[in-house]
Amino acid sequence: SKTKPKKDSWLTNHTHGKKQTNCLSIKVILDKALLRGSRFAEMTVRIMDEWNYTPRHSKFPIGSCVATTFGIGVLVGWRVEDDFHVIRALWNKSGPGTAVAYLQRDRIHRVVEAAVGFQVETRMGEGTVLAYVKGGKQNSHGKYFVKLNGNGRYRGRTMEFNRYQILSCRGATFTPVTEHIRAAAQYQLE
C-alpha cells in the first residue's frame, strides 16, 4: 500500500530520504536613505531548483560575457516574443560609459572571457578589466587591458592579456540576478 506524503514532502530528496532546500531565496531590503520619499522597500525573490532560468533558445547562456557587434558585455536576458537579447555593461560595468543594449541574435557573436569593469583572474594574478581593444568586426579576437590588484610583483600595473590568459570572470554570472532585483525594486517603487 502507498503511504500518504508528508506536508513538507516537497523538501524531501526521495532518493536519499534527506531534507534539502530546493530553492534560492534572496531577500532584499533597500534602506530608506537609498529611496526617494524615505520609504523602505522589501522584496523576496525565490528561484526553485527545478526552474531553468537559462532560456533554451537564447543564443548563449544568461550570465555569459559576450562579444557583440557594438562591444563586449554581459547577457542578462532574452525576450521570447521578439528574440532580442538584453546585454548589460556593454562598455563598462556601471556608471559613466555603461549601456544596456537590446540586440538581435545575429549581433551577438560568441562568448568571451570577461567584460570591461569586472574583476578577473589572470595568469599574473587578479585584477580589473579596464579595456578590450582590437576585437575586429565581431569583437571576438581582442586583447584585454587589466589593472592588477594584490600583493604580487605586478601589483598596480596595467597589463595587456590575450583572451586565453584570462582565467575567469566570476562576477558577470551574478549580473542577471542583480539586474532582476534592480528592476523589481524599481517596479515596487512605482
Side-chain angles (χ1 to χ4, degrees), residues 19 28 79 163 184:
K19 288 187 178 182
V28 178
R79 295 192 318 211
R163 287 184 53 206

Side-chain angles (χ1 to χ4, degrees), residues 9 26 28 36 38 52 65 68 72 112 115 122-123 184:
S9 63
I26 302 170
V28 178
R36 293 182 194 146
S38 297
N52 183 359
C65 294
T68 75
I72 59 173
V112 293
T122 72
R123 293 181 180 207

